[in-house]
Amino acid sequence: MTQPTLDLSPSPGDEAKSTTCYMCACRCGIKVWLQDGKIRYIQGNREHPVNQGVLCAKGASGIMQHYSPARLRKPLLRVGERGKGEFREIEWEEAFAIATSWLAPIRERNPDELAFFTGRDQSQALTGWWAQQFGTINYAAHGGFCSVNMAAGGLYSTGGSFWEFGEPDWEHTRYLMLWGVAEDHDSNPIKLGLGKLKARGAKIVAVNPVRSGYGAIADEWIGIRPGTDGLFAFALVHELLKADRIDLDYLVRYANAHWLVIDNPGGADDGLFARDAEGNALCWDLSPHPNPPPQAGEGGERATRAGGGKAVDANAIDISPAVVGNYALPDGRKARPVFQLIVDRYLDPRYSPDAVSERCGIPADTIRRVARELAEAAFDSNFSLPIAWTDSWGREHASMQGRPVSMHAMRGISAHSNGFHTCRALHLLQLLLGAIDAPGSYRYQPPYPKPIPPANRPARARKADGTLDAGPLGFVHGPEDLVVDEHGRPRRIDHAYSWAYPLSAHGMMHTVIRNAWAGDPYRIDTLFMFMANMSWNSAMNTRETMHWLTDKDESGNYRIPRIIYSDAYASEMVAYADLVLPDTTYLERFDAISLLDRPISDADAASDAIRHPVFDPATQVDEDGKPRDVRGFQSALIELGARLGLPGLVDEDGSARYRDYADYIVRHERAPGVGLLAGWRGEDGNSEGKGAPNPGQLQRYIEHGGFWHAPIPESARYYKMANRDYLQWAQGFGFVANDKPIVMQLYSETLQKFRLAAQGHGAHQPPAEHRERVATYFDPLPIWYEPFEHDQTSRETFPLNAVTQRPMFMYHSWGSQNAWLRQIAARNYLYLHPDTGARFGIADEDWIEVGSHHGSITVQAKFAANVQPDTVWTWNAIGKRRGAWRLAKDAPEGEQGFLLNHLISDMTPKGDYANADPVTGQAAWFDLRVRIQGSESRKADARTGESGPQFPPLAFPEAGERPLRYGAGLRSRRD
Ligand code: SF4
């Protein structure tokens, strides 16, 4: 009998195109299989360094993102009242003409009247530069409401940062602590890494009020009370100091533990580092005396009594620097090493496990045990890698000492009003363990580490050609870098870099709409936003935000005169625009995942990548079969810049310098030889990092699967902050200006400079109303304080914490309109512990009313025991406004789904500042306190079965059902 011929591995399609996923921020490599000109299948790219072939459900659902009925089709001009969603379609020429007619007079008059803010896009290397060419200081991306506490906390401490800019040493770590980690960034690399740890039997500890996602597979879940992570970290520090389980050698080699801090209370130099005539920080060298330096906790007197020694350059080698004690400098001033200050502060009994246990919701014995386990993992394994390396001072080492304990942290830490210092507290803990960029620990990803603070400062002045003297965003080094007027008042519309939020390195997008409405500090003309759902799930105080966007003055004119918005989909924010520039889907565009922006490097290699069009958007039709006429936002921005004649975007004859974004990616040079992409540079394409533009660069990326990957030499892979081979390698790529070691800052002199200013010293001092705040929160060592919404009265009136987090299976509101992902969840609940239900007389699936100091909402409760009992939580961005995203008007997302944001104020309960961190301005989403309202309202709402508040449906037309039947045609061909 003849055996049938079976094709066991049929090709999934006619051809595959390799590009980069954009279904979340992780940026995995994908292969998009096409059949008959349609997407047949999306596959993970096995060669890609980020995901090594792994694809998540979101990535696979990119098909429905591309064919989403919510896609915009053509440019839109508002015809009805703002906020209703009534538009007429226009041609691109008209759209550009309108935008140019609005923006050209602004640039002529005062470029700051344009507020240009972008959301979760990945093209800040372009958008920030464009703002600089336009000349507006009012630019930022979304980091201010997302991650800046983490970024600034890290960059001002270690020169690097958690999030997707560093990673645990997945190959060697034996103990991993995840602090407030969500599943929406660095998603597949973390999953792959956790798999490795599980296979090796390493311990994973998740510190999070909610046990979801990664926490669900952790060996231990510590259900901490929100906002108390810093206190927990200090208790661990306290225990490590008490047990003398710290790495003093590491602290002196790589951090500023031994730098001398001037002790001159009331003086203008109090708390600054003692420096020599060349500006080098000093330490106290005990070398003439062979006695070893005293150990932690032994106090300063002994060191002083031991006598002798002298102040020397703290960066010198072959010295015996004192780490504790009190010393007299040659000029008579007193000084103490940083480590002495650390001992004095964190050995204080107020940070003992017993003292913090109740507030953190963690048993004191658990804290003591975790401290013990951390120390055992770090110090008792005697683990090292047999890799020879040379440090920055030329000393050769035969091996790399391991410290196999690592930490990773994200938004759960960051989105609090004490988040900056909490992040610093975690870095302090890591440093005491010697666990930054040592084998087994947290590791930097190139281009990090950077000098501390990074060199680029925010723009403050405009040049003769109207461009800014620097990029609008940067890092302040002291009060003189603030963007304030001669009276110390904010100059930016978001108040970033003002005395209220001095280190706001990512700007403060969450304050823009209120301030633009209020004319604080001045009126703007045009608000230009991209990919930021600021009238809904990206806004605090959602109801009032909608009001501010539509409010009119006494003359009947909108208080925010003009709004231009670009998005690929009919999001809630589209309804609030006057002019809509329709973006492409991520499969129709060029993008650069650039080392100048948010790279995809890993700890062993520098990487960048591109997206390139799988489809020409002109060939794609909407769900009604009508052709789409959309353009990648970045290309539209470049064209708009050329029409405005912005320097950098036009040639000398006034013609457009760049054809589109693809052309810009290839030909633009930020500095000689440095462009958006680092791979295949030079005219022949044989250079990496630096080199002349290569006209064939994008083609080379396409041929190589869409990414470029440059492994770090083996001798340079650890101790990057002081590894000569690494720093020279990094210098070659332009990541650092020189190969000098980067000294990690346990104690921040930058912060102390602000505190001194608040105490009345120096040429730049805060206005009276900010003095106490700056003096309090600009502590040079990490501090912990109650989040602003957590004071005693608030805790009594509103007894529950409430947090909103991203689902692992969706990415912001983008993902929650996706037909396939909606099948996982089409509405959210308010999740609470069954004990909490019993405490408030709530049954599972009761409709309840929840209130905060800001407002109340009606939601359906659901019991889940994976939450700390004083906390309730829900998923963000599933709840939608009716009519948005072209969902049916009775879609569950609008009827039963809800936004917790309606309860979150954009101001502190006192109303004096933005609901944000006082150092960085990071939005404090997770400070929220709530109470369950009385039972009568619950009964009333149970009858409706509808969440509240509800708003009038947007006028976008509803989509049909056709996309849900996607794939039927492909099946018939197979059959
Ligand atoms: S983790 Fe994110 S980038 Fe990676 S496949 Fe999933 S959705 Fe795409």
Side-chain angles (χ1 to χ4, degrees):
M1 188 174 132
T2 316
Q3 293 293 326
T5 307
L6 297 177
D7 183 359
L8 296 175
S9 187
S11 171
D14 303 329
E15 62 170 325
K17 295 194 177 181
S18 298
T19 184
T20 304
C21 184
Y22 203 170
M23 291 299 289
C24 83
C26 182
R27 297 160 293 168
C28 298
I30 52 172
K31 291 186 174 180
V32 182
W33 285 90
L34 303 176
Q35 185 172 297
D36 299 335
K38 296 199 83 178
I39 311 173
R40 178 71 182 87
Y41 171 58
I42 297 179
Q43 179 186 23
N45 182 352
R46 285 177 194 277
E47 278 79 47
H48 200 278
V50 169
N51 56 321
Q52 296 151 45
V54 172
L55 191 78
C56 77
K58 295 184 298 250
S61 302
I63 295 177
M64 301 312 282
Q65 205 74 12
H66 179 69
Y67 294 121
S68 167
R71 284 171 301 166
L72 298 174
R73 202 180 76 84
K74 274 179 88 69
L76 300 170
L77 188 64
R78 178 173 59 78
V79 292
E81 287 292 307
R82 195 187 277 170
K84 288 197 179 322
E86 294 167 356
F87 296 96
R88 75 174 166 85
E89 292 186 341
I90 58 173
E91 300 302 321
W92 274 99
E93 185 52 42
E94 186 179 354
F96 280 127
I98 293 169
T100 308
S101 73
W102 291 355
L103 298 186
I106 297 175
R107 188 166 196 278
E108 200 62 34
R109 194 169 62 227
N110 173 12
D112 294 341
E113 289 182 28
L114 169 65
F116 179 35
F117 285 79
T118 71
R120 58 196 179 278
D121 73 299
Q122 296 168 1
S123 54
Q124 292 164 41
L126 167 69
T127 54
W129 177 86
W130 192 95
Q132 185 181 352
Q133 303 308 306
F134 190 89
T136 179
I137 56 172
N138 290 320
Y139 162 84
H142 80 294
F145 67 68
C146 178
S147 60
V148 70
N149 273 338
M150 198 65 77
L155 287 167
Y156 280 87
S157 306
T158 70
S161 161
F162 290 120
W163 223 276
E164 67 222 45
F165 307 105
E167 67 186 55
D169 187 347
W170 300 113
E171 302 299 330
H172 303 108
T173 198
R174 294 176 188 170
Y175 198 97
L176 169 65
M177 289 188 84
L178 295 170
W179 298 77
V181 174
E183 290 83 31
D184 56 337
H185 281 249
D186 220 23
S187 177
N188 278 340
I190 293 181
K191 288 178 217 154
L192 285 162
L194 292 177
K196 288 179 187 166
L197 265 56
K198 282 281 175 190
R200 258 204 340 271
K203 181 164 183 177
I204 303 168
V205 179
V207 183
N208 203 318
V210 184
R211 185 173 200 175
S212 67
Y214 307 140
I217 62 154
D219 298 281
E220 181 171 357
W221 170 51
I222 296 179
I224 195 167
R225 292 198 167 107
T228 65
D229 305 77
L231 207 49
F232 177 32
F234 287 161
L236 296 173
V237 166
H238 177 95
E239 286 296 285
L240 293 172
L241 287 170
K242 207 167 103 183
D244 199 10
R245 296 280 269 168
I246 50 177
D247 191 342
L248 265 182
D249 285 346
Y250 180 97
L251 289 174
V252 169
R253 271 192 195 152
Y254 307 121
N256 63 0
H258 55 305
W259 290 17
L260 290 170
V261 178
I262 295 164
D263 181 17
N264 180 22
D269 56 356
D270 183 46
L272 299 179
F273 291 127
R275 295 182 183 274
D276 64 18
E278 281 76 49
N280 301 308
L282 297 173
C283 72
W284 196 260
D285 179 22
L286 296 168
S287 294
H289 301 271
N291 299 337
Q295 299 299 302
E298 290 186 6
E301 282 309 305
R302 191 187 125 184
T304 308
R305 276 202 311 275
K310 59 180 179 179
V312 300
D313 180 354
N315 197 38
I317 56 172
D318 298 329
I319 57 173
S320 257
V323 292
V324 291
N326 297 291
Y327 300 94
L329 298 169
D331 61 10
R333 293 179 300 171
K334 288 194 240 158
R336 287 174 289 184
V338 164
F339 190 73
Q340 178 68 57
L341 302 174
I342 288 173
V343 169
D344 290 346
R345 178 169 293 182
Y346 304 108
L347 269 180
D348 189 285
R350 73 190 153 132
Y351 295 128
S352 73
D354 291 308
V356 309
S357 167
E358 153 60 23
R359 184 66 192 93
C360 296
I362 306 171
D365 283 348
T366 301
I367 300 173
R368 281 188 276 268
R369 175 177 52 76
V370 171
R372 231 175 16 248
E373 289 175 356
L374 284 170
E376 285 164 6
F379 301 126
D380 296 348
S381 65
N382 215 15
F383 157 67
S384 65
L385 292 179
I387 300 172
W389 67 289
T390 307
D391 67 28
S392 289
W393 301 269
R395 292 176 295 198
E396 294 182 354
H397 305 263
S399 64
M400 293 179 161
Q401 175 64 50
R403 290 281 176 257
V405 50
S406 56
M407 312 219 169
H408 196 66
M410 281 186 60
R411 193 174 293 104
I413 308 305
S414 193
H416 285 291
S417 53
N418 61 12
F420 173 79
H421 276 286
T422 297
C423 183
R424 294 249 305 140
L426 296 191
H427 291 314
L428 168 68
L429 178 59
Q430 291 175 293
L431 285 163
L432 293 185
L433 292 163
I436 289 188
D437 224 55
S441 73
Y442 157 90
R443 303 177 68 196
Y444 299 108
Q445 297 172 342
Y448 303 96
K450 295 276 190 185
I452 305 170
N456 55 310
R457 293 162 156 94
R460 298 171 64 236
R462 219 170 274 130
K463 297 193 281 192
D465 65 358
T467 62
L468 296 177
D469 60 349
L473 299 179
F475 297 88
V476 300
H477 292 213
E480 67 281 6
D481 293 333
L482 291 180
V483 186
V484 291
D485 68 14
E486 65 276 18
H487 305 293
R489 292 179 302 222
R491 280 182 51 206
R492 286 178 52 115
I493 191 71
D494 59 355
H495 296 194
Y497 304 117
S498 69
W499 284 103
Y501 322 97
L503 268 57
S504 39
H506 290 176
M508 294 177 65
M509 188 162 177
H510 44 297
T511 64
V512 170
I513 294 174
R514 174 195 276 272
N515 292 349
W517 165 80
D520 177 12
Y522 42 73
R523 297 230 161 264
I524 61 159
D525 181 282
T526 299
L527 177 62
F528 185 9
M529 288 192 161
F530 169 51
M531 209 175 168
N533 208 12
M534 292 305 292
S535 67
W536 196 247
N537 56 280
S538 292
M540 298 169 151
N541 193 359
T542 324
R543 183 190 291 274
E544 269 195 284
T545 301
M546 290 185 263
H547 166 69
W548 297 327
L549 288 167
T550 53
D551 193 27
K552 293 181 176 174
D553 61 20
E554 47 293 337
S555 313
N557 299 318
Y558 287 115
R559 291 175 69 93
I560 301 175
R562 292 177 175 126
I563 300 177
I564 306 174
Y565 183 56
S566 179
D567 201 324
Y569 303 96
S571 67
E572 283 88 350
M573 185 60 202
V574 166
Y576 290 86
D578 304 314
L579 176 66
V580 180
L581 306 178
D583 191 15
T584 64
T585 74
Y586 72 104
L587 297 177
E588 298 169 321
R589 61 192 299 133
F590 274 104
D591 270 329
I593 290 93
S594 171
L595 281 154
L596 301 181
D597 189 351
R598 296 165 54 177
I600 53 162
S601 303
D602 57 72
D604 290 325
S607 291
D608 60 19
I610 64 162
R611 290 192 187 91
H612 64 102
V614 172
F615 301 107
D616 176 350
T619 66
Q620 303 295 292
V621 294
D622 72 2
E623 62 143 4
D624 298 321
K626 290 190 194 155
R628 291 166 65 240
D629 187 12
V630 299
R631 297 193 190 182
F633 170 70
Q634 294 78 9
S635 288
L637 191 66
I638 284 169
E639 168 138 10
L640 185 56
R643 286 175 182 243
L644 290 165
L646 301 184
L649 282 151
V650 289
D651 286 327
E652 278 175 13
D653 63 0
S655 60
R657 181 169 297 173
Y658 303 105
R659 188 186 66 243
D660 54 17
Y661 190 36
D663 191 31
Y664 179 87
I665 291 171
V666 171
R667 292 201 296 119
H668 171 70
E669 288 180 276
R670 192 57 51 95
V674 177
L676 263 63
L677 294 172
W680 297 286
R681 297 196 67 82
E683 281 168 20
D684 54 4
N686 289 331
S687 302
E688 291 187 311
K690 291 182 185 169
N694 165 21
Q697 188 182 35
L698 290 173
Q699 188 54 35
R700 299 293 291 273
Y701 271 81
I702 292 169
E703 288 160 8
H704 286 83
F707 66 91
W708 166 83
H709 188 70
I712 301 170
E714 190 183 38
S715 63
R717 291 193 177 172
Y718 293 95
Y719 297 105
K720 296 187 184 84
M721 59 283 184
N723 181 321
R724 194 177 64 185
D725 287 355
Y726 174 77
L727 290 165
Q728 289 178 352
W729 181 87
Q731 188 183 3
F733 280 98
F735 301 156
V736 289
N738 56 52
D739 64 353
K740 285 191 185 150
I742 293 162
V743 181
M744 293 183 284
Q745 302 289 296
L746 291 155
Y747 179 102
S748 171
E749 192 180 54
T750 302
L751 296 181
Q752 178 63 13
K753 286 179 186 169
F754 280 92
R755 192 159 72 168
L756 285 171
Q759 290 167 350
H761 300 290
H764 304 273
Q765 297 180 22
E769 67 269 26
H770 298 307
R771 278 185 190 254
E772 189 184 339
R773 173 174 161 111
V774 173
T776 304
Y777 299 110
F778 278 75
D779 195 306
L781 286 176
I783 53 174
W784 183 85
Y785 50 91
E786 285 287 357
F788 294 156
E789 211 168 318
H790 289 210
D791 61 52
Q792 191 62 34
T793 316
S794 298
R795 293 216 304 276
E796 283 163 10
T797 316
F798 300 101
L800 297 168
N801 303 289
V803 294
T804 174
Q805 62 172 355
R806 303 260 149 67
M808 184 180 247
F809 47 91
M810 287 168 177
Y811 182 51
H812 303 266
S813 45
W814 250 26
S816 48
Q817 56 84 35
N818 182 296
W820 288 351
L821 299 177
R822 291 182 71 209
Q823 294 175 43
I824 301 173
R827 52 81 52 99
N828 54 328
Y829 295 85
L830 188 75
Y831 297 101
L832 60 157
H833 196 284
D835 293 350
T836 312
R839 184 171 147 205
F840 291 96
I842 297 167
D844 195 19
E845 302 204 359
D846 266 2
W847 284 86
I848 58 175
E849 198 172 323
V850 182
S852 71
H853 79 92
H854 178 69
S856 68
I857 57 175
T858 304
V859 300
Q860 194 171 14
K862 197 158 187 65
F863 287 173
N866 63 337
V867 60
Q868 191 270 339
D870 290 332
T871 302
V872 297
W873 69 280
T874 191
W875 299 123
N876 188 34
I878 291 181
K880 301 216 175 297
R881 176 145 172 204
R882 281 179 164 155
W885 301 91
R886 300 193 63 202
L887 297 178
K889 300 277 189 293
D890 61 351
E893 285 88 346
E895 239 177 36
Q896 290 108 35
F898 66 94
L899 278 185
L900 201 65
N901 307 37
H902 297 309
L903 294 182
I904 303 174
S905 173
D906 64 314
M907 302 295 286
T908 60
K910 278 194 203 157
D912 48 356
Y913 288 96
N915 182 9
D917 187 288
V919 179
T920 66
Q922 150 110 46
W925 298 99
F926 295 166
D927 277 9
L928 180 64
R929 302 284 304 189
V930 300
R931 67 177 166 218
I932 311 278
Q933 317 276 41
S935 57
E936 282 313 304
S937 56
R938 285 210 295 279
K939 279 183 200 147
D941 292 325
R943 284 198 293 274
T944 70
E946 184 181 85
S947 65
Q950 289 285 340
F951 299 90
L954 298 176
F956 303 145
E958 283 183 34
E961 287 296 299
R962 264 165 292 169
L964 295 174
R965 291 197 289 275
Y966 173 80
L970 300 166
R971 194 179 314 119
S972 61
R973 173 169 139 164
R974 187 193 66 199
D975 295 343

